[in-house]
Amino acid sequence: MPRAVRERQMLDAAVRTFGQRGYRAASMDEIADLAGVSKPLVYLYLNSKEDLFTACIRREAQALTAAVREGVRPRLPADRQLWEGLRAFFSHTAQNPDGWAILHLQARTHGEPFAAEVSAMREEIVAFVTRLIAVAARDARRDPSLPEHEVAGLAEALVGAAESLAAWANAATGVSARQAAATMMNFAWAGLGDLMEGRSWSEQR
Amino acid sequence: MPRAVRERQMLDAAVRTFGQRGYRAASMDEIADLAGVSKPLVYLYLNSKEDLFTACIRREAQALTAAVREGVRPRLPADRQLWEGLRAFFSHTAQNPDGWAILHLQARTHGEPFAAEVSAMREEIVAFVTRLIAVAARDARRDPSLPEHEVAGLAEALVGAAESLAAWANAATGVSARQAAATMMNFAWAGLGDLMEGRSWSEQR
Amino acid sequence: MPRAVRERQMLDAAVRTFGQRGYRAASMDEIADLAGVSKPLVYLYLNSKEDLFTACIRREAQALTAAVREGVRPRLPADRQLWEGLRAFFSHTAQNPDGWAILHLQARTHGEPFAAEVSAMREEIVAFVTRLIAVAARDARRDPSLPEHEVAGLAEALVGAAESLAAWANAATGVSARQAAATMMNFAWAGLGDLMEGRSWSEQR
Amino acid sequence: MPRAVRERQMLDAAVRTFGQRGYRAASMDEIADLAGVSKPLVYLYLNSKEDLFTACIRREAQALTAAVREGVRPRLPADRQLWEGLRAFFSHTAQNPDGWAILHLQARTHGEPFAAEVSAMREEIVAFVTRLIAVAARDARRDPSLPEHEVAGLAEALVGAAESLAAWANAATGVSARQAAATMMNFAWAGLGDLMEGRSWSEQR
DNA sequence: TATGAATGAGCATTCATTCAT
DNA sequence: CATGAATGAATGCTCATTCAT
């Protein structure tokens, strides 16, 4: 069996195990078993538990950013791009709960080698959102009087809100990716103040 | 030395160790050392690692909710209450990074006995926010045409955004609790859309 | 509360705990709790776990030998003395299962300081039986052509059989001390060979 | 080194350690040391201390019953079968003092999982003796007017006597298996009463 | 007389990791 | 390419025992 395939099996098993048990509670024995190979082979291919976990994080991070990137049509107005990105995000996390658990919970919880890995991805997403906000500001013919720093904070908050909603939507049965995205747009774009006045964000214009 | 004092020392040491190392990686030996007592005493007073961690979660959760509750003056308009709550929240988390790490990261990452504990606290905060939104809607003389479910999602998103900003503010040096709270208000109350048009939320009116 | 009474309470608790849990599994904590006193007091009165266990063994051994001694009228013929001794033995062990467990199981299982203690008692009983056999032989006007050594073996076997029956009678519901003693007499006095021929031992002559 | 061999070594070491120290006092460290392997290997092969002890009991129980079974020629008269069985029994226990200590003392002293294991073996032996008694009764052309229950008691007493003699013979130097068996036959078959009259059981008729 | 507070030492168990084949 | 065999190092937890009061 070619190496690439074996490696994929191992990563699949590892993602599942790490996602469900957590980094420390997952044992290499269980992962090897689930992958259907012997433990030494896992070490031969992936060196150590740490490296294996890092590989999981990287793969899942790339899968997530790719899904979001592919979900967004870059020519649309900023709010529409955000809308599409959010839909892709909620959709992907709902379909890959173990991967999402690794990125959102495990990697950040278990210290330096891993937190850095996931931060890279997060920054990519934050940068994407930051760019959207800048574009929107330009389209509104406004000088970016919002300072850099403030924009970064807004993006951070937006991403955090989305992450939180992802967990909520996954847990609360019956909340679709679309609904979660709609809630996010209302919250982030329209703002609570506007919502109070009866103005909510809407996909149609 | 009286029991109550010793117990406090142990909890302090445990919060610090759990917060920095994580639940699994923290060893009872290290906690006992840091508390300046022998391991058996930790077991005598706090029964088990699980119970000790639960006690940490409970203490930190109560400290956090108490801080927020005390920071809010209940007669003010909803947005002002939110503003004050956020300031208290960011302030408390900045001053108790280990406690916040336990609540935000560790407890949620390590499965059922603990996740439930922190969920209770989180629900209390979400309920507080939900109530604020409802009050704001009433004050704006709007029928609560925002459905229950949508409000829950908004509150969830708001809390998630705040949690995310807390981590960000703690990490990025030089962001004060006040600044973080302002960013949150802009984000949550004014909304990105308004911000684009130059309307941001402001403490003065 | 006078020392003697306290000490009795402790020994009672210890016998029960050792009898039910075993020497190693019984904890000084549990014994102190059951006795209703603090642990240091147990140490003050009885020095150590080892000494405490030894004290239990001694007390129960004396109680058992006393019960047997008091049950036997020394002027009767040998077989009647044996009969009475067996009844007293089965009766006492049935009423003190924990004490009997200590003597029969725990003390012999846990090595030297204790095994010696119970051996002393056992030898006393074996000596009693040996004497009975010798008396019976004299009464039958037979030279003791049974060698010393053989007699010791017989006595040992008899005591072993009785001990075994005690456990069996205690476990099998509905076997009285009297029945157990009768079985023993049939077995030991009449012998299987005689039983086969229809001759069994009988209390009435 | 192949697994089966290693496993035997471990069981040998365990039987010796459990037999001499007792179940609780024996440490897995000591057993592993004595077996010449590391502790994790013991766990890998035998799961837990409890399982290891159970495996010891089972192995020794089977060895003992096999030795007795093989020592008995089934066509002989009942008393001769008993004689042969006893010789095999005393011989085996004398040669395996640690195994015998496990079966006779340790297993019965340490509660349910183990006591049940050894009870099974004991019942097999008691059943064998019971059958012998029944056969002897038939051969003597006697109705089995000995009630079931009485026979069970007799068998129990006989086995107990033998167990007791085994310990005695092992301790008292210079008592051979043959002598112990002879004493048992005199005791059990002839009965003390007969012995008093000068009639003892004899191998020759 | 009696106890609350405290600990040194040990034990069963697990796990990431490595050889020799 | 793949594995059966093996281990050093921790870790959670318990227990007999002792002071200071």
Side-chain angles (χ1 to χ4, degrees):
Chain A
M1 184 164 310
R3 172 159 183 156
V5 176
R6 275 269 196 257
E7 218 166 300
R8 234 194 72 107
Q9 289 176 341
M10 291 180 197
L11 281 178
D12 287 346
V15 165
R16 190 147 149 216
T17 311
F18 284 136
Q20 281 171 4
R21 298 244 187 285
Y23 175 60
R24 298 277 313 212
S27 85
M28 295 299 271
D29 268 294
E30 189 178 355
I31 293 170
D33 266 21
L34 189 60
V37 298
S38 71
K39 233 185 330 175
L41 200 58
V42 179
Y43 278 89
L44 188 63
Y45 282 9
L46 287 142
N47 288 322
S48 70
K49 195 186 191 185
E50 206 171 307
D51 285 5
L52 173 56
F53 190 41
T54 306
C56 290
I57 295 173
R58 264 206 267 262
R59 190 181 81 168
E60 294 305 313
Q62 269 164 21
L64 176 55
T65 53
V68 171
R69 220 183 344 264
E70 279 159 28
V72 172
R73 278 168 297 170
R75 307 255 170 252
L76 296 183
D79 62 336
R80 295 301 303 269
Q81 283 192 46
L82 184 56
W83 163 247
E84 289 186 345
L86 285 168
R87 287 191 59 187
F89 172 78
F90 287 122
S91 198
H92 183 86
T93 55
Q95 269 152 32
N96 298 278
D98 292 328
W100 176 239
I102 284 181
L103 295 174
H104 182 47
L105 289 180
Q106 303 301 339
R108 307 168 87 181
T109 305
H110 291 105
E112 247 337 286
F114 316 127
E117 207 66 43
V118 82
S119 281
M121 173 207 72
R122 209 164 187 277
E123 266 152 37
E124 196 180 324
I125 296 192
V126 169
F128 169 68
V129 173
T130 305
R131 227 174 305 126
L132 283 189
I133 296 178
V135 166
R138 175 161 41 69
D139 289 358
R141 264 163 262 276
R142 266 190 102 249
D143 317 273
S145 72
L146 289 172
E148 274 286 312
H149 195 258
E150 176 77 359
V151 172
L154 291 170
E156 189 75 30
L158 193 154
V159 171
E163 287 169 348
S164 185
L165 271 192
W168 176 74
N170 280 359
T173 55
V175 174
S176 66
R178 185 188 198 96
Q179 285 172 299
T183 297
M184 266 304 298
M185 286 309 293
N186 272 337
F187 178 57
W189 206 263
L192 293 178
D194 273 10
L195 291 178
M196 296 308 104
E197 310 292 330
R199 296 189 296 279
S200 58
W201 183 87
S202 145
E203 195 178 352
Q204 354 288 344
R205 194 97 5 243
Chain B
M1 187 165 309
R3 175 165 181 152
V5 176
R6 276 279 194 245
E7 220 166 295
R8 233 194 72 103
Q9 290 175 341
M10 290 180 197
L11 280 179
D12 288 345
V15 165
R16 189 147 149 218
T17 310
F18 283 136
Q20 281 170 7
R21 297 246 187 284
Y23 176 60
R24 299 276 311 214
S27 86
M28 295 298 272
D29 270 296
E30 189 179 354
I31 293 170
D33 267 19
L34 188 59
V37 297
S38 70
K39 226 182 343 169
L41 201 59
V42 180
Y43 278 90
L44 190 61
Y45 284 4
L46 288 143
N47 290 323
S48 69
K49 196 184 189 185
E50 204 170 309
D51 283 7
L52 174 55
F53 191 39
T54 305
C56 290
I57 295 174
R58 266 207 264 261
R59 191 181 80 166
E60 295 305 313
Q62 269 165 21
L64 176 54
T65 53
V68 171
R69 218 184 345 263
E70 280 159 27
V72 172
R73 279 168 296 171
R75 306 255 170 253
L76 297 183
D79 60 336
R80 295 300 303 269
Q81 283 192 47
L82 184 55
W83 161 249
E84 289 186 344
L86 287 167
R87 286 191 62 187
F89 173 77
F90 287 121
S91 194
H92 184 88
T93 55
Q95 269 152 31
N96 298 279
D98 292 326
W100 175 238
I102 284 182
L103 295 175
H104 183 47
L105 290 179
Q106 304 302 338
R108 307 169 88 179
T109 305
H110 290 104
E112 247 336 286
F114 314 128
E117 208 67 43
V118 82
S119 280
M121 174 206 71
R122 204 170 190 272
E123 266 153 37
E124 195 180 326
I125 295 193
V126 169
F128 169 66
V129 172
T130 306
R131 227 174 305 125
L132 283 190
I133 297 178
V135 166
R138 173 160 43 69
D139 288 357
R141 266 164 260 276
R142 263 189 105 250
D143 318 271
S145 73
L146 288 173
E148 278 279 318
H149 192 259
E150 177 77 0
V151 172
L154 291 169
E156 190 75 29
L158 194 155
V159 171
E163 287 169 347
S164 186
L165 269 193
W168 174 76
N170 281 357
T173 55
V175 175
S176 67
R178 184 188 198 94
Q179 286 172 297
T183 298
M184 266 303 298
M185 286 309 291
N186 273 338
F187 179 57
W189 208 262
L192 293 178
D194 274 10
L195 290 178
M196 296 310 102
E197 311 292 330
R199 295 189 296 280
S200 59
W201 182 87
S202 144
E203 196 178 348
Q204 355 288 347
R205 193 113 355 257
Chain C
M1 185 166 310
R3 171 158 185 155
V5 176
R6 274 272 196 252
E7 217 166 299
R8 232 194 73 105
Q9 289 176 341
M10 291 180 196
L11 281 179
D12 287 346
V15 165
R16 189 145 150 219
T17 311
F18 284 135
Q20 282 171 4
R21 297 245 187 284
Y23 175 60
R24 298 277 314 210
S27 85
M28 295 298 272
D29 268 296
E30 190 178 355
I31 292 170
D33 266 22
L34 189 60
V37 298
S38 71
K39 232 184 333 173
L41 200 59
V42 179
Y43 278 89
L44 188 63
Y45 283 8
L46 289 141
N47 288 322
S48 71
K49 195 185 190 184
E50 207 171 305
D51 284 4
L52 173 57
F53 191 40
T54 305
C56 289
I57 296 173
R58 264 205 268 262
R59 191 181 80 168
E60 294 306 312
Q62 269 162 21
L64 176 54
T65 52
V68 171
R69 218 180 351 259
E70 281 160 27
V72 173
R73 279 168 295 171
R75 307 254 170 254
L76 298 183
D79 61 336
R80 295 302 303 270
Q81 282 193 46
L82 185 55
W83 162 247
E84 289 186 346
L86 286 168
R87 287 190 60 187
F89 173 78
F90 286 122
S91 196
H92 183 87
T93 54
Q95 269 152 33
N96 298 279
D98 292 328
W100 176 238
I102 284 183
L103 295 174
H104 182 48
L105 289 179
Q106 304 302 337
R108 307 169 87 182
T109 306
H110 290 105
E112 245 339 283
F114 314 127
E117 208 67 41
V118 83
S119 281
M121 172 205 73
R122 209 166 187 275
E123 264 153 37
E124 195 179 326
I125 296 193
V126 169
F128 168 67
V129 173
T130 306
R131 227 173 305 125
L132 283 190
I133 297 178
V135 166
R138 174 159 43 68
D139 290 357
R141 266 161 260 276
R142 265 190 101 249
D143 316 274
S145 74
L146 289 172
E148 274 286 314
H149 195 257
E150 177 77 359
V151 171
L154 291 171
E156 188 76 30
L158 193 153
V159 171
E163 286 169 348
S164 185
L165 270 192
W168 174 76
N170 281 358
T173 55
V175 175
S176 66
R178 184 186 199 98
Q179 285 171 298
T183 298
M184 266 304 297
M185 286 310 291
N186 273 338
F187 178 58
W189 207 262
L192 292 179
D194 274 10
L195 290 178
M196 297 307 105
E197 310 294 330
R199 296 190 297 280
S200 58
W201 182 88
S202 146
E203 194 178 351
Q204 353 289 346
R205 194 101 2 247
Chain D
M1 185 164 311
R3 174 165 181 152
V5 176
R6 275 277 194 247
E7 218 165 298
R8 234 194 70 103
Q9 290 176 342
M10 291 179 198
L11 281 178
D12 288 346
V15 166
R16 191 147 147 217
T17 310
F18 283 135
Q20 281 171 5
R21 296 247 187 285
Y23 176 62
R24 300 275 313 214
S27 88
M28 294 298 270
D29 269 295
E30 189 179 354
I31 292 171
D33 268 19
L34 188 60
V37 297
S38 70
K39 230 183 337 172
L41 201 60
V42 179
Y43 278 90
L44 191 61
Y45 285 3
L46 288 142
N47 290 322
S48 70
K49 195 183 191 186
E50 203 171 310
D51 283 6
L52 174 55
F53 191 40
T54 306
C56 289
I57 295 173
R58 267 208 264 260
R59 191 181 81 168
E60 295 305 314
Q62 269 164 20
L64 175 55
T65 53
V68 171
R69 219 184 345 262
E70 278 160 30
V72 172
R73 279 169 295 171
R75 307 252 171 254
L76 297 183
D79 61 336
R80 296 300 304 269
Q81 283 192 46
L82 184 56
W83 162 248
E84 288 186 346
L86 285 168
R87 286 191 60 189
F89 173 78
F90 287 122
S91 192
H92 184 88
T93 54
Q95 269 152 31
N96 298 278
D98 292 328
W100 176 239
I102 284 183
L103 295 175
H104 182 47
L105 289 180
Q106 304 301 338
R108 306 169 89 178
T109 306
H110 290 103
E112 246 337 285
F114 314 128
E117 208 67 44
V118 82
S119 281
M121 175 206 70
R122 201 168 193 275
E123 266 154 37
E124 195 180 323
I125 296 191
V126 169
F128 169 67
V129 172
T130 306
R131 229 175 303 125
L132 284 189
I133 297 178
V135 166
R138 175 161 42 68
D139 289 356
R141 264 163 261 275
R142 262 190 105 248
D143 317 273
S145 73
L146 287 172
E148 277 279 317
H149 193 257
E150 176 77 1
V151 172
L154 291 170
E156 190 75 30
L158 194 155
V159 171
E163 287 170 348
S164 185
L165 271 192
W168 175 75
N170 281 357
T173 54
V175 175
S176 67
R178 184 186 199 98
Q179 286 172 298
T183 298
M184 267 303 298
M185 286 309 292
N186 273 337
F187 178 58
W189 207 263
L192 293 177
D194 274 10
L195 290 177
M196 296 308 101
E197 312 292 331
R199 296 188 297 278
S200 60
W201 182 87
S202 144
E203 195 178 352
Q204 354 288 347
R205 195 114 350 258

